[in-house]
Amino acid sequence: LEEIATKTIQDTGNILKQGYLEKRSREHSFFGSEWQKRWCVLTRRTFYYYANEKSKQPKGTFSIENYSAQLAFHLRKDSRKKCCFELTCPGKRTYEFTAPSPAEAEDWVDQIQFLLKDLSSLTIPYDEEDEEELYNDVDSSDSVNTASYNATLNQHNPKITIEEEDIYEVLPGKQNSG
């Protein structure tokens, strides 16, 4: 079972972003928390982190669903503070990272935010499934009527161009559905 899970993670088709990041460890030492270099992999739904690029078993994974990503300059006081970002979710662990550069940190945040928008939009069509079918039925009968109506118009007024017909066909559909 572990082999199957590892193969799907390593499948490059699923990987949207990967690279080395420093991850803040959960354990706080006497000197504060430590930053550890980790090979991080972002897929469509999951964030994985490994000891290094060649590791087969992740040190940790979490679903990014319901998380939010943002730059977090307050995480460090040194010259790399503009390279920091965090993933937060109410009631769950916060993950803190340092990227190699400020641009890389922004890219990780952008990628994750894009994915989160994508994940949240996937749930919308199920609620409106019945309404969509009803709309399609109305739409298809409308277009038949509009086409025959335009054909009649064209017989009386042959100067109408194709562009005007296209514009004209769109308007009645919008009025009827509203």
Side-chain angles (χ1 to χ4, degrees):
L1 190 70
E2 286 176 5
E3 281 179 34
I4 295 166
T6 309
K7 280 180 187 165
T8 53
I9 296 162
Q10 300 298 354
D11 174 17
T12 52
N14 291 327
I15 295 172
L16 299 173
K17 186 158 180 66
Q18 60 186 344
Y20 278 105
L21 295 172
E22 286 181 31
K23 184 184 138 312
R24 184 180 265 183
S25 65
R26 244 197 297 204
E27 296 84 38
H28 294 283
S29 70
F30 177 72
F31 300 104
S33 57
E34 291 181 21
W35 293 91
Q36 297 160 328
K37 194 172 183 181
R38 295 286 179 245
W39 179 253
C40 298
V41 177
L42 178 65
T43 66
R44 292 190 188 286
R45 292 177 175 268
T46 311
F47 194 103
Y48 301 88
Y49 51 95
Y50 299 84
N52 60 52
E53 205 173 336
K54 294 176 176 46
S55 297
K56 297 280 183 243
Q57 283 299 109
K59 285 217 161 263
T61 75
F62 61 96
S63 168
I64 64 160
E65 211 164 350
N66 302 320
Y67 267 84
S68 64
Q70 56 275 330
L71 294 171
F73 299 160
H74 65 277
L75 296 179
R76 292 178 84 132
K77 305 273 185 273
D78 62 10
S79 61
R80 300 190 57 209
K81 65 182 183 183
K82 288 195 186 315
C83 303
C84 296
F85 67 96
E86 62 185 1
L87 300 175
T88 56
C89 180
K92 292 189 180 177
R93 177 182 171 191
T94 295
Y95 291 88
E96 300 166 333
F97 296 97
T98 304
S101 70
E104 264 300 291
E106 280 180 47
D107 194 44
W108 277 96
V109 169
D110 289 347
Q111 284 284 341
I112 293 165
Q113 285 176 339
F114 176 77
L115 270 180
L116 293 169
K117 274 186 203 144
D118 213 31
L119 282 175
S120 65
S121 71
L122 289 175
T123 55
I124 295 167
Y126 298 113
D127 301 337
E128 299 172 0
E129 210 169 280
D130 295 335
E131 290 176 36
E132 277 183 40
E133 286 174 23
L134 191 81
Y135 177 76
N136 287 341
D137 292 343
V138 172
D139 191 36
S140 59
S141 63
D142 266 4
S143 57
V144 171
N145 295 343
T146 310
S148 59
Y149 181 69
N150 280 342
T152 313
L153 265 184
N154 288 343
Q155 290 169 1
H156 300 292
N157 195 352
K159 290 182 184 172
I160 293 176
T161 63
I162 292 169
E163 282 177 6
E164 286 172 333
E165 281 179 28
D166 284 349
I167 292 166
Y168 193 78
E169 279 183 16
V170 172
L171 291 172
K174 281 188 177 173
Q175 289 168 345
N176 291 344
S177 67

PDB file of all heavy atoms in Angstrom, residues 16-31:
ATOM      1  N   LEU A  16       2.151  20.152  -8.965  1.00  0.00           N
ATOM      2  CA  LEU A  16       1.977  21.508  -9.485  1.00  0.00           C
ATOM      3  C   LEU A  16       3.166  22.388  -9.144  1.00  0.00           C
ATOM      4  O   LEU A  16       3.494  23.303  -9.874  1.00  0.00           O
ATOM      5  CB  LEU A  16       0.695  22.119  -8.923  1.00  0.00           C
ATOM      6  CG  LEU A  16      -0.558  21.347  -9.311  1.00  0.00           C
ATOM      7  CD1 LEU A  16      -1.763  21.898  -8.603  1.00  0.00           C
ATOM      8  CD2 LEU A  16      -0.773  21.395 -10.810  1.00  0.00           C
ATOM      9  N   LYS A  17       3.800  22.120  -8.011  1.00  0.00           N
ATOM     10  CA  LYS A  17       4.986  22.882  -7.609  1.00  0.00           C
ATOM     11  C   LYS A  17       5.791  22.025  -6.659  1.00  0.00           C
ATOM     12  O   LYS A  17       5.237  21.281  -5.862  1.00  0.00           O
ATOM     13  CB  LYS A  17       4.572  24.194  -6.937  1.00  0.00           C
ATOM     14  CG  LYS A  17       5.775  25.089  -6.635  1.00  0.00           C
ATOM     15  CD  LYS A  17       5.366  26.534  -6.482  1.00  0.00           C
ATOM     16  CE  LYS A  17       6.562  27.424  -6.180  1.00  0.00           C
ATOM     17  NZ  LYS A  17       7.533  27.512  -7.270  1.00  0.00           N
ATOM     18  N   GLN A  18       7.114  22.132  -6.769  1.00  0.00           N
ATOM     19  CA  GLN A  18       7.986  21.412  -5.848  1.00  0.00           C
ATOM     20  C   GLN A  18       9.296  22.158  -5.713  1.00  0.00           C
ATOM     21  O   GLN A  18       9.667  22.924  -6.596  1.00  0.00           O
ATOM     22  CB  GLN A  18       8.221  19.980  -6.324  1.00  0.00           C
ATOM     23  CG  GLN A  18       8.878  19.874  -7.689  1.00  0.00           C
ATOM     24  CD  GLN A  18       8.958  18.436  -8.176  1.00  0.00           C
ATOM     25  OE1 GLN A  18       8.800  17.506  -7.409  1.00  0.00           O
ATOM     26  NE2 GLN A  18       9.210  18.255  -9.464  1.00  0.00           N
ATOM     27  N   GLY A  19       9.962  21.952  -4.598  1.00  0.00           N
ATOM     28  CA  GLY A  19      11.242  22.618  -4.387  1.00  0.00           C
ATOM     29  C   GLY A  19      11.608  22.602  -2.920  1.00  0.00           C
ATOM     30  O   GLY A  19      10.808  22.205  -2.059  1.00  0.00           O
ATOM     31  N   TYR A  20      12.833  23.044  -2.629  1.00  0.00           N
ATOM     32  CA  TYR A  20      13.278  23.085  -1.240  1.00  0.00           C
ATOM     33  C   TYR A  20      12.737  24.319  -0.536  1.00  0.00           C
ATOM     34  O   TYR A  20      12.770  25.417  -1.075  1.00  0.00           O
ATOM     35  CB  TYR A  20      14.809  23.074  -1.162  1.00  0.00           C
ATOM     36  CG  TYR A  20      15.385  21.690  -1.288  1.00  0.00           C
ATOM     37  CD1 TYR A  20      16.002  21.273  -2.455  1.00  0.00           C
ATOM     38  CD2 TYR A  20      15.285  20.782  -0.227  1.00  0.00           C
ATOM     39  CE1 TYR A  20      16.511  19.987  -2.577  1.00  0.00           C
ATOM     40  CE2 TYR A  20      15.798  19.495  -0.338  1.00  0.00           C
ATOM     41  CZ  TYR A  20      16.408  19.104  -1.511  1.00  0.00           C
ATOM     42  OH  TYR A  20      16.905  17.837  -1.618  1.00  0.00           O
ATOM     43  N   LEU A  21      12.204  24.086   0.650  1.00  0.00           N
ATOM     44  CA  LEU A  21      11.760  25.151   1.538  1.00  0.00           C
ATOM     45  C   LEU A  21      12.309  24.827   2.920  1.00  0.00           C
ATOM     46  O   LEU A  21      12.589  23.671   3.219  1.00  0.00           O
ATOM     47  CB  LEU A  21      10.223  25.181   1.635  1.00  0.00           C
ATOM     48  CG  LEU A  21       9.428  25.527   0.387  1.00  0.00           C
ATOM     49  CD1 LEU A  21       7.936  25.304   0.630  1.00  0.00           C
ATOM     50  CD2 LEU A  21       9.672  26.972  -0.021  1.00  0.00           C
ATOM     51  N   GLU A  22      12.440  25.838   3.745  1.00  0.00           N
ATOM     52  CA  GLU A  22      12.742  25.574   5.149  1.00  0.00           C
ATOM     53  C   GLU A  22      11.415  25.569   5.885  1.00  0.00           C
ATOM     54  O   GLU A  22      10.607  26.475   5.732  1.00  0.00           O
ATOM     55  CB  GLU A  22      13.680  26.642   5.719  1.00  0.00           C
ATOM     56  CG  GLU A  22      15.092  26.491   5.235  1.00  0.00           C
ATOM     57  CD  GLU A  22      16.005  27.552   5.825  1.00  0.00           C
ATOM     58  OE1 GLU A  22      15.761  28.002   6.967  1.00  0.00           O
ATOM     59  OE2 GLU A  22      16.957  27.930   5.128  1.00  0.00           O
ATOM     60  N   LYS A  23      11.188  24.509   6.651  1.00  0.00           N
ATOM     61  CA  LYS A  23       9.943  24.359   7.404  1.00  0.00           C
ATOM     62  C   LYS A  23      10.258  24.503   8.886  1.00  0.00           C
ATOM     63  O   LYS A  23      11.209  23.913   9.371  1.00  0.00           O
ATOM     64  CB  LYS A  23       9.343  22.977   7.122  1.00  0.00           C
ATOM     65  CG  LYS A  23       7.998  22.753   7.785  1.00  0.00           C
ATOM     66  CD  LYS A  23       7.556  21.322   7.508  1.00  0.00           C
ATOM     67  CE  LYS A  23       6.950  20.674   8.703  1.00  0.00           C
ATOM     68  NZ  LYS A  23       7.613  20.758   9.958  1.00  0.00           N
ATOM     69  N   ARG A  24       9.454  25.280   9.569  1.00  0.00           N
ATOM     70  CA  ARG A  24       9.672  25.449  11.010  1.00  0.00           C
ATOM     71  C   ARG A  24       9.153  24.215  11.736  1.00  0.00           C
ATOM     72  O   ARG A  24       8.014  23.795  11.521  1.00  0.00           O
ATOM     73  CB  ARG A  24       8.949  26.685  11.517  1.00  0.00           C
ATOM     74  CG  ARG A  24       9.230  26.959  13.000  1.00  0.00           C
ATOM     75  CD  ARG A  24       8.502  28.182  13.475  1.00  0.00           C
ATOM     76  NE  ARG A  24       9.390  29.334  13.380  1.00  0.00           N
ATOM     77  CZ  ARG A  24       9.049  30.541  13.787  1.00  0.00           C
ATOM     78  NH1 ARG A  24       7.849  30.771  14.247  1.00  0.00           N
ATOM     79  NH2 ARG A  24       9.905  31.531  13.700  1.00  0.00           N
ATOM     80  N   SER A  25      10.000  23.639  12.564  1.00  0.00           N
ATOM     81  CA  SER A  25       9.598  22.423  13.285  1.00  0.00           C
ATOM     82  C   SER A  25       8.626  22.782  14.403  1.00  0.00           C
ATOM     83  O   SER A  25       8.619  23.898  14.920  1.00  0.00           O
ATOM     84  CB  SER A  25      10.823  21.715  13.856  1.00  0.00           C
ATOM     85  OG  SER A  25      11.430  22.530  14.840  1.00  0.00           O
ATOM     86  N   ARG A  26       7.831  21.792  14.782  1.00  0.00           N
ATOM     87  CA  ARG A  26       6.850  22.009  15.843  1.00  0.00           C
ATOM     88  C   ARG A  26       7.510  22.088  17.212  1.00  0.00           C
ATOM     89  O   ARG A  26       7.070  22.802  18.085  1.00  0.00           O
ATOM     90  CB  ARG A  26       5.835  20.857  15.848  1.00  0.00           C
ATOM     91  CG  ARG A  26       4.447  21.369  15.512  1.00  0.00           C
ATOM     92  CD  ARG A  26       3.376  20.417  15.896  1.00  0.00           C
ATOM     93  NE  ARG A  26       3.453  19.157  15.170  1.00  0.00           N
ATOM     94  CZ  ARG A  26       2.420  18.361  14.980  1.00  0.00           C
ATOM     95  NH1 ARG A  26       1.242  18.705  15.438  1.00  0.00           N
ATOM     96  NH2 ARG A  26       2.533  17.226  14.344  1.00  0.00           N
ATOM     97  N   GLU A  27       8.580  21.300  17.370  1.00  0.00           N
ATOM     98  CA  GLU A  27       9.255  21.289  18.674  1.00  0.00           C
ATOM     99  C   GLU A  27      10.074  22.562  18.833  1.00  0.00           C
ATOM    100  O   GLU A  27      10.853  22.927  17.956  1.00  0.00           O
ATOM    101  CB  GLU A  27      10.214  20.085  18.800  1.00  0.00           C
ATOM    102  CG  GLU A  27       9.539  18.747  18.752  1.00  0.00           C
ATOM    103  CD  GLU A  27       9.281  18.255  17.327  1.00  0.00           C
ATOM    104  OE1 GLU A  27      10.137  18.482  16.445  1.00  0.00           O
ATOM    105  OE2 GLU A  27       8.206  17.676  17.108  1.00  0.00           O
ATOM    106  N   HIS A  28       9.892  23.224  19.946  1.00  0.00           N
ATOM    107  CA  HIS A  28      10.665  24.434  20.226  1.00  0.00           C
ATOM    108  C   HIS A  28      11.826  24.060  21.131  1.00  0.00           C
ATOM    109  O   HIS A  28      11.633  23.489  22.197  1.00  0.00           O
ATOM    110  CB  HIS A  28       9.791  25.494  20.904  1.00  0.00           C
ATOM    111  CG  HIS A  28       8.706  26.007  20.005  1.00  0.00           C
ATOM    112  ND1 HIS A  28       8.950  26.910  19.006  1.00  0.00           N
ATOM    113  CD2 HIS A  28       7.383  25.721  19.935  1.00  0.00           C
ATOM    114  CE1 HIS A  28       7.826  27.166  18.360  1.00  0.00           C
ATOM    115  NE2 HIS A  28       6.854  26.460  18.914  1.00  0.00           N
ATOM    116  N   SER A  29      13.038  24.382  20.689  1.00  0.00           N
ATOM    117  CA  SER A  29      14.210  24.114  21.525  1.00  0.00           C
ATOM    118  C   SER A  29      14.441  25.312  22.429  1.00  0.00           C
ATOM    119  O   SER A  29      13.703  26.292  22.409  1.00  0.00           O
ATOM    120  CB  SER A  29      15.430  23.869  20.642  1.00  0.00           C
ATOM    121  OG  SER A  29      15.809  25.081  20.016  1.00  0.00           O
ATOM    122  N   PHE A  30      15.499  25.236  23.195  1.00  0.00           N
ATOM    123  CA  PHE A  30      15.869  26.319  24.100  1.00  0.00           C
ATOM    124  C   PHE A  30      16.070  27.626  23.321  1.00  0.00           C
ATOM    125  O   PHE A  30      15.780  28.702  23.807  1.00  0.00           O
ATOM    126  CB  PHE A  30      17.151  25.930  24.868  1.00  0.00           C
ATOM    127  CG  PHE A  30      17.649  27.015  25.774  1.00  0.00           C
ATOM    128  CD1 PHE A  30      16.968  27.324  26.946  1.00  0.00           C
ATOM    129  CD2 PHE A  30      18.785  27.734  25.449  1.00  0.00           C
ATOM    130  CE1 PHE A  30      17.431  28.329  27.780  1.00  0.00           C
ATOM    131  CE2 PHE A  30      19.248  28.740  26.278  1.00  0.00           C
ATOM    132  CZ  PHE A  30      18.568  29.037  27.442  1.00  0.00           C
ATOM    133  N   PHE A  31      16.556  27.531  22.105  1.00  0.00           N
ATOM    134  CA  PHE A  31      16.854  28.711  21.291  1.00  0.00           C
ATOM    135  C   PHE A  31      15.668  29.135  20.426  1.00  0.00           C
ATOM    136  O   PHE A  31      15.805  29.946  19.531  1.00  0.00           O
ATOM    137  CB  PHE A  31      18.055  28.424  20.375  1.00  0.00           C
ATOM    138  CG  PHE A  31      19.294  28.070  21.140  1.00  0.00           C
ATOM    139  CD1 PHE A  31      19.723  26.762  21.216  1.00  0.00           C
ATOM    140  CD2 PHE A  31      20.019  29.048  21.812  1.00  0.00           C
ATOM    141  CE1 PHE A  31      20.860  26.425  21.930  1.00  0.00           C
ATOM    142  CE2 PHE A  31      21.152  28.716  22.529  1.00  0.00           C
ATOM    143  CZ  PHE A  31      21.576  27.409  22.581  1.00  0.00           C
TER     144      PHE A  31
END
